[in-house]
Structure formats: C-alpha cells, structure tokens
Amino acid sequence: MKTDIVLAGVGGQGILSIATILGAAALKEDLYIKQAEVHGMSQRGGDVQSNLRISSSPIASDLIPRGGADLIVSLEPMEALRYVEFLKPQGWIVTSTVPFINIDNYPEQDRVAAELAAWHNTVAFDMDEVAKQVATARSSNMVLLGAAAPFIEIEVEKIEDGIRTVFGAKGEKIVESNIAAFRAGLDFTRKLIADRG
Amino acid sequence: MITKRLLLGDEALALGAVNAGLSGVYAYPGTPSTEITEFIQEDALARQRGVHSHWSTNEKTAMEEALGMSFCGKRAMVCMKHVGMNVAADGFVNSAMTGANGGLVVVAADDPSMHSSQNEQDSRFYSNFAFIPTLEPSTQQEAYDMMPYAFRFSEEHGIPVLMRMVTRLAHSRAVVETSDAIEENKLSYPKNTRQWVLMPGNSKVRYKQLLKDWDDCVKASEVSPFNKYIDAADHSRGIIANGIAYNYLMECFPDGCPWPVLKISQYPLPQALIDRMAKECGEIFVIEEGQPFIEERLRGMLGTPLPIYGKLTGHLPRTGELNPDFVREALGLPQLERKGASQVVMPRPPALCQGCSHRDVYTALNATLAEFESPKVFGDIGCYTLGWLTPFNAIDSVVDMGASISMAKGAADAGQFPSVAIIGDSTFTHSGMTPLLDAINENSNIMVIISDNLTTGMTGGQDSQGTGKLEQICIGLGADPAHVRTIDALPKTHEQMMQIFRDELAYNGVSVVVARRECIQTARRHAAAAAKAAKK
C-alpha cells in the first residue's frame, strides 16, 4: 500500500494532530512513514501544510512530488485548493467548507466552492457543524480525519486505536468525544460514496 | 534492545546524542533547530542522568560552554539555526584550533527557502574554512546513527564535528530504530595543553597540525559509511547528491538510478570517490541542497575538463529548497500528470496572534510617532518582526539579533530623531545588551522599547534568560533609572503607554521602556496547566 496525503489548514487549526494519529496507527502496523511539517513563523495564522506519506515499502522523499498525492485533507476550503497541483488527476479532496478569513483579499466563497465542486472527487461539508452535533466544536479535525479515512489504506479500527493512543492521556471522555466525531465524518463520506454508486 | 519510534529529524538526532553518552546540550532557540534541545529537556534518560539542557543566552555562549565541557573530557553538543553560526563563529572557528577533548558536535540547522529566516547561508562554508569535518544526514535514521559516529570521530581525531541539518529533515518525521544508551565519559583533561591556549606561538604550531589532520579527514570521508558510491550501467553521466537531495533523486527512480550516484553525507569531500566518477563518467550532475558548495569545489578538484551541471549552470534553481519536481526537470524526466493550479487562492501571510501584547505596543507606538515628522523605528528578530506587515507597518528595518539598538544608535549618530529601537526580551539578552552599553556610554538620543512577553515566543515559548531582570540589567549597564520605565502592555493602558513614549522621546539621551505582558500562547498554556492542577 501507499497513500500520499497533503494536510492543509491555517496555523493553529490543528492539522498536525491528524498527522500524529495517522503516524501512530501506521507505526503500529509496521508501515513506513514520512511526515514533513511546518514549524516557526507560519504557525502564526499563516497557511500551513504537512506532507504525510505512508507506505508498505521504503519512502525516499519527505516531500510529495506535484501530481503525486492521493489525497488533500484540509480544515479550510481555500487552503485545500492551494495544493491541487500536488494531486493526482483522480485524487480526492476532503475539506471542511468553513472559511478561515484572516486576510482582506479572501476570495468570494462561491468561487472557492465552485472550484472545489469542479474537481469532482470532492468531499466538502461544514465540519464544525457536524463536530458540534456529535461532540464539541473543537473536534472538527477528527470529523475531517473520519471523512478522509475511506481513502487511506489503513483499517478504520487501527485509526481509532491511534486516536485512543494520542488522546488517551486526556481521559476517556475526550477519547470518546473524538471517536464520535471521527465516526460522524466517516459516515458522511461512506454515504457520499454509496450515493455516487 | 532495538525499539522503533516515530521521530522528527531533530528528535532522532537528539536521541542519538543522548544514547551516545551526551553530558550536555547548549543552545539558543532557533527554527529549525529548537526541537533538538526541547527533546533532550524532556527525555527520561537525559533527565535521570542530569544531562545539561538549560537554554543559553546566545549561540556564542552556547558554543563556548560546550567547548568547556569538551575540555573536561565529556561529550557535548551545541545546536543552533544557520544564522546562529554567525553569532557562534568566533568560538566555532577557533574550536578547530583548540581541538576537542571529549566529543564535541556542533549542529547547524540550515533553512533553504527561508521558511523562518532572513537568509539561506550554507553552514558547510564555515566548516570548510575552519577545517572542521561535517556530517549531513539524508534520513532521520542517519541523523540518529550519525551521533555516536560523530562523537567517536571527534574524540579520535581531536576535532569538533559539524552536523548540518536542513529544515525539511529537521521537521519531518519517520520511523527510527534506536539502540541502547552507552555511558557518559568520565572527567579527563586534554593531553596537549598548549593548543588550548591560542597565543600566536601555540597557534602557529597547531595550525600546521590542523592542516595535516585535514588529509586524514579526507581519507575518513572516502571510507565513511555515510558516503556511498552506487554504480550503474549508464556511464554517460554521474550524479552527486548531498544529504536530503539524495532522497529527491531516489524519489525520481523507484527502481534505481540508471546512472552512477555518489551520495555525500560526510565532508571534507571524498576526493577518491569523486575522482572515480570523473574517470568513469562522461559528465557530472550535482544535485545539492543549499548553496552550490560541492559544485564550486568540483570545478577546482577534477583532473580532466569534464562538463559539470547543477545550480551554477541554471539546471537547478539557485534559490529555495530542492524538491522532487526540480530534480525530475533537471534530469529531463517528464513531470507527473496533474491538473493546473487554482485560480482563486490568495497568499495568507502569518500575523501577530489576536490578544498579543506586541499589538498593543505597536498601536501605542504608531499613535505616538504620528506626532513626529520623520520617525524611524528599528526592529529586531522575533514575533514582533511581523509588525512590519499591515495593519501596523510599524518598523523600518529588521536585520539580525540585536541590530535594532545598534542601528538606532547609528541612526541617532547620523542626526536621526526620533530614533526608536524595538526588541523582544529574549533577543535583548541575546545581543541587545552590548549595543545598549555603547548607546549609554555616548548618551545617544534613542528610545529602546523592550517588548517583554516573558518568553522566546517565535520558536514556541522557551524560557527567556532575562525574565525578571531586564530593568536591573539596563540600570546595571548605566542607564539613568529615571528613564528606565515599565508599563503593562494592554489595550487599556494605551494612553499611559503613549504618555511614556512621549515623555521618553522628549528626553535627550538613552531611555528604555519595558512594555510587559505574557505571550498569549504561553499564558493559555499556563492557564490550562493551572486548571488541570486545580482539578487534581
């Protein structure tokens, strides 16, 4: 197996915890992992991304080549579009539709939505809303992880184990809340795929 | 026992050092090197052994403190970002002259692409002219494996070793196999005592020896386990790739490169391996992360006039970090199929956090300076550098650590008024105290604002060495206590801050305004920790 993922968002949104969970799951499965992160100045509200590569055979580069990614996983719709050049033509975009507007020239939201829709292989919905319904607003990144899970070649149960590992120290309540958010995201994508036939 | 852990390049290096019997790490925080020291501060074995890991005031003090530990026979490490090498340079270059007793490893984390830095300087140039052998890992595993090797090499050859990291490896995670830790060294003193006293008579003797030893270092590079010559059938071309650039090359050839490849991860350059490539191949392609260090040297090393391609010939970009796409293009491989870039995406530059005290300082400063015709504000390195961006547009220069105060003084010498320096608390103790002394000694007409958020903010909130003593330091340096002012930096103190700025600008001499409030990020963390403690 080999899944190359571009994780995207705005500094402070929490995309790195997604990487941490998938990393923990992949490590347990004895898979190869490379995960390049952004630290430093960009974390102050700038655009941030992480290249996460998981494979059953050794991985050479820490960076994914343009046209090489299977998946863009984003907490912000414009940030998802920033990396479309990295996606394979048949790759998937999984993103929350909630914009993070901290710049004056943020594009019209209709244009962002139109570009996302034009990609076809897109899973885009209001992940804050889903998170609020099943857990807390802060678990929208776990909704996102769930929504992306069907495109990642790691069993769902193993990813849930990863969530338990990463959040375990914070107590059972937090773990269950995050797993509920994860499952809500997972259900959304599974239903979407089933509807597409 | 071998265990597997998912580690950042920085963390792998740190763990490798601890397991290699490290007795002390010395560092000033700087992206992308910070996580090395942070890892050691939290590591169970390092804590149990009492491995030194307190932050130093700057890279020069760190370098010399580590050299002192090496003098006493123990294994020591210094970590810094590439521009920290400029600060540490005096100690670094001269540590080649003293040599090392206990293993001494200097880690410089270069930042190609300037993700979080002001330039792209390549630390290999420093180690080359200082005659300090250098290691450059390609992978997180190598970062780990190189540490025991580096300490051993340093002790066997009696010389410090530079470990060159780059951002992409420092901040990328991979699975690393780790081994058991060895014991720390016992206290022991240098056998050759003369070379530790760098008086001309001693230095002249030592320098000859250093040059002679360099030949041994070349030989060591030729048989290094980290330099690899991988032969292939097609000898029309040979490829030399350093450190992480080797990964990008191999990414393009999952089934193996059709041309011979020389992977370079140890310097000085392995002359014999390069000679072999020059003899056997029709041309040489250099794929190099950083400035064209190998490529430039190659042009002076080869016996035959062989075509050499790389950054100097425009086949690879001169600026920014490499990636697999640049390498594909340079070698004439087709790009992977993909769709075009988005038409709607806008840049999203970083900004000061909402609720950050630097915001309140800049708001008050801008309002005050609006009353003057041609104010100039000299900025410094830290989160508050972001004050250059809108909506503040508050600073006129940012150069290097501490330059705010020295440049404000120079500007005042030139007749500039108002001449204002704004500097963070950690940057002030790093390199701001000495220029402040200059200004005090000449009674320069400047106002220095120390925007004190009680931490080293930009790198994630490490301890700041001046916390609780900034006013004392300024007064101790000779500042007039009446013109060392302190104010809480808050939206509600806006008018008071403006009044202080106005008063101190009216004073013809050096004034220091300490505008203080804890970093919003560390304050949140402290509040969360306090809440958790209260629950228990």
Side-chain angles (χ1 to χ4, degrees):
Chain A
M1 68 77 67
K2 180 166 170 288
T3 308
D4 284 346
I5 307 167
V6 177
L7 289 164
V10 180
Q13 273 194 316
I15 60 159
L16 291 183
S17 53
I18 295 180
T20 308
I21 290 160
L22 288 174
L27 179 63
K28 228 176 200 174
E29 291 297 282
D30 230 4
L31 295 166
Y32 292 90
I33 305 152
K34 286 227 171 171
Q35 187 229 325
E37 315 179 340
V38 176
H39 296 201
M41 195 179 252
S42 323
Q43 286 179 300
R44 304 276 168 270
D47 56 279
V48 292
Q49 52 86 17
S50 169
N51 280 198
L52 175 59
R53 317 189 73 184
I54 303 170
S55 174
S56 50
S57 50
I59 304 160
S61 167
D62 297 78
L63 294 177
I64 300 168
R66 282 180 172 75
D70 300 284
L71 197 56
I72 290 171
V73 174
S74 178
L75 273 169
E76 209 278 346
M78 182 182 81
E79 293 308 323
L81 292 173
R82 194 182 297 280
Y83 306 101
V84 288
E85 271 194 292
F86 285 86
L87 209 47
K88 288 176 181 167
Q90 294 309 311
W92 281 81
I93 297 175
V94 183
T95 183
S96 179
T97 51
V98 185
F100 190 107
I101 303 179
N102 62 348
I103 49 172
D104 295 336
N105 53 354
Y106 194 94
E108 286 168 41
Q109 292 183 40
D110 291 351
R111 293 180 61 206
V112 174
E115 266 202 19
L116 281 173
W119 189 267
H120 299 300
N121 283 347
T122 302
V123 181
F125 60 97
D126 183 337
M127 295 184 183
D128 285 4
E129 188 53 41
V130 173
K132 266 181 237 162
Q133 282 168 16
V134 299
T136 66
R138 286 185 56 190
S139 4
S140 53
N141 57 350
M142 289 304 105
V143 176
L144 174 62
L145 177 58
F151 308 110
I152 302 167
E153 289 180 63
I154 298 178
E155 286 172 47
V156 166
E157 294 71 27
K158 310 282 181 191
I159 300 177
E160 290 191 358
D161 285 346
I163 295 175
R164 286 193 184 91
T165 308
V166 170
F167 290 106
K170 294 190 173 175
E172 190 54 23
K173 227 170 125 184
I174 302 272
V175 168
E176 287 315 314
S177 164
N178 278 295
I179 290 204
F182 173 82
R183 286 184 184 161
L186 181 67
D187 290 346
F188 188 97
T189 300
R190 279 184 172 160
K191 186 165 178 302
L192 184 126
I193 293 172
D195 289 350
R196 275 166 59 128
Chain B
M1 196 185 79
I2 289 176
T3 52
K4 282 186 173 187
R5 289 178 67 174
L6 186 57
L7 297 173
L8 289 175
D10 274 351
E11 296 171 340
L13 185 159
L15 184 59
V18 171
N19 287 351
L22 182 77
S23 293
V25 61
Y26 295 86
Y28 180 82
T31 312
S33 70
T34 313
E35 295 81 358
I36 301 169
T37 304
E38 286 184 325
F39 183 91
I40 296 171
Q41 287 171 343
E42 297 300 321
D43 182 73
L45 178 64
R47 291 174 81 121
Q48 181 204 319
R49 286 183 172 181
V51 171
H52 174 277
S53 62
H54 192 278
W55 293 106
S56 298
T57 301
N58 67 34
E59 293 85 353
K60 181 175 188 286
T61 64
M63 177 74 223
E64 292 154 359
E65 285 154 8
L67 188 61
M69 183 171 268
S70 166
F71 178 90
C72 291
K74 300 209 176 181
R75 292 186 166 183
M77 181 163 75
V78 200
C79 308
M80 64 198 82
K81 67 182 295 169
H82 60 340
V83 287
M85 286 289 280
N86 303 332
V87 180
D90 205 355
F92 176 76
V93 175
N94 286 310
S95 71
M97 295 294 283
T98 62
N101 183 30
L104 177 57
V105 175
V106 181
V107 183
D110 290 357
D111 190 16
S113 276
M114 299 181 247
H115 293 284
S116 214
S117 308
Q118 68 269 51
N119 72 33
E120 287 196 357
Q121 66 182 64
D122 186 323
S123 299
R124 294 175 297 168
F125 288 90
Y126 266 116
S127 56
N128 187 67
F129 80 75
F131 298 99
I132 288 179
T134 298
L135 294 165
E136 185 179 23
S138 300
T139 62
Q140 293 78 356
Q141 186 68 53
E142 274 191 349
Y144 179 88
D145 294 339
M146 277 178 176
M147 294 315 291
Y149 177 88
F151 282 116
R152 223 170 30 241
F153 192 98
S154 173
E155 285 165 5
E156 284 170 10
H157 293 256
I159 188 88
V161 170
L162 179 75
M163 187 76 176
R164 183 201 185 217
M165 294 289 279
V166 293
T167 304
R168 216 32 99 170
L169 182 60
H171 289 168
S172 177
R173 271 173 227 280
V175 180
V176 176
E177 289 188 358
T178 70
S179 46
D180 289 340
I182 62 165
E183 292 300 319
E184 292 175 65
N185 285 355
K186 300 237 167 15
L187 206 67
S188 73
Y189 301 110
K191 287 188 189 71
N192 186 342
T193 52
R194 278 184 67 155
Q195 75 190 46
W196 287 82
V197 182
L198 295 179
M199 288 167 66
N202 292 342
S203 293
K204 285 173 191 172
V205 176
R206 166 61 184 162
Y207 189 44
K208 282 183 188 155
Q209 186 61 45
L210 184 62
L211 293 176
K212 213 184 270 172
D213 291 350
W214 194 241
D215 295 338
D216 295 337
C217 292
V218 172
K219 289 196 184 82
S221 285
E222 288 166 353
V223 297
S224 163
F226 302 111
N227 289 336
K228 274 195 296 192
Y229 195 102
I230 308 147
D231 205 4
D234 184 352
H235 282 196
S236 64
R237 167 190 278 175
I239 299 179
I240 296 178
N242 72 323
I244 202 161
Y246 174 76
N247 301 349
Y248 301 140
L249 172 67
M250 299 324 281
E251 177 72 24
C252 298
F253 300 105
D255 303 318
C257 183
W259 305 290
V261 175
L262 173 55
K263 169 187 177 282
I264 304 245
S265 282
Q266 184 173 334
Y267 306 78
L269 287 170
Q271 178 83 45
L273 301 180
I274 289 171
D275 286 347
R276 178 183 170 190
M277 182 164 277
K279 205 169 132 208
E280 295 181 4
C281 297
E283 63 181 41
I284 294 185
F285 213 109
V286 185
I287 301 172
E288 191 162 12
E289 186 69 309
Q291 295 173 322
F293 173 86
I294 298 173
E295 198 180 336
E296 280 180 357
R297 258 135 216 88
L298 219 50
R299 289 171 192 277
M301 278 175 84
L302 303 183
T304 53
L306 204 66
I308 299 167
Y309 303 104
K311 293 189 169 186
L312 294 173
T313 54
H315 289 78
L316 285 162
R318 274 302 293 268
T319 63
E321 64 181 342
L322 293 177
N323 61 40
D325 304 309
F326 288 137
V327 175
R328 289 191 80 86
E329 193 183 328
L331 296 177
L333 303 179
Q335 296 292 315
L336 301 180
E337 194 192 339
R338 63 177 193 252
K339 295 187 189 172
S342 162
Q343 300 302 307
V344 303
V345 173
M346 289 292 156
R348 196 191 294 266
L352 288 169
C353 303
Q354 293 301 323
C356 166
S357 63
H358 296 316
R359 284 181 174 263
D360 302 325
V361 174
Y362 278 128
T363 305
L365 180 64
N366 279 349
T368 312
L369 292 178
E371 297 161 10
F372 294 86
E373 198 179 319
S374 182
K376 293 292 169 217
V377 179
F378 300 91
D380 224 301
I381 308 284
C383 287
Y384 49 95
T385 305
L386 297 169
W388 179 73
L389 300 170
T390 49
F392 301 107
N393 307 115
I395 50 183
D396 296 285
S397 78
V398 174
V399 181
D400 64 56
M401 299 287 282
S404 59
I405 300 177
S406 7
M407 285 183 70
K409 181 199 177 290
D413 292 345
Q416 167 62 31
F417 176 79
S419 188
V420 178
I422 182 157
I423 186 168
D425 48 313
S426 185
T427 306
F428 175 70
T429 46
H430 178 290
S431 287
M433 298 188 290
T434 42
L436 183 62
L437 180 60
D438 282 350
I440 288 166
N441 287 344
E442 294 187 51
N443 201 31
S444 307
N445 190 13
I446 64 170
M447 178 171 79
V448 176
I449 301 167
I450 304 178
S451 197
D452 178 13
N453 61 0
L454 306 169
T455 191
T456 313
M458 179 58 91
T459 45
Q462 295 76 24
D463 293 342
S464 174
Q465 303 312 311
T467 297
K469 28 183 135 139
L470 294 176
E471 291 90 336
Q472 272 172 278
I473 289 171
C474 297
I475 293 167
L477 288 170
D480 180 349
H483 295 284
V484 177
R485 313 280 299 269
T486 303
I487 176 91
D488 292 334
L490 286 161
K492 69 177 182 196
T493 60
H494 179 77
E495 293 300 328
Q496 283 162 272
M497 248 193 291
M498 278 186 72
Q499 193 53 51
I500 289 179
F501 290 155
R502 235 182 251 128
D503 292 348
E504 295 308 328
L505 286 168
Y507 170 64
N508 188 354
V510 177
S511 43
V512 179
V513 180
V514 182
R516 177 174 292 138
R517 179 157 63 84
E518 189 184 3
C519 163
I520 193 88
Q521 300 282 349
T522 57
R524 270 184 206 140
R525 248 180 279 157
H526 289 152
K532 205 175 164 191
K535 250 188 197 170
K536 279 178 183 167

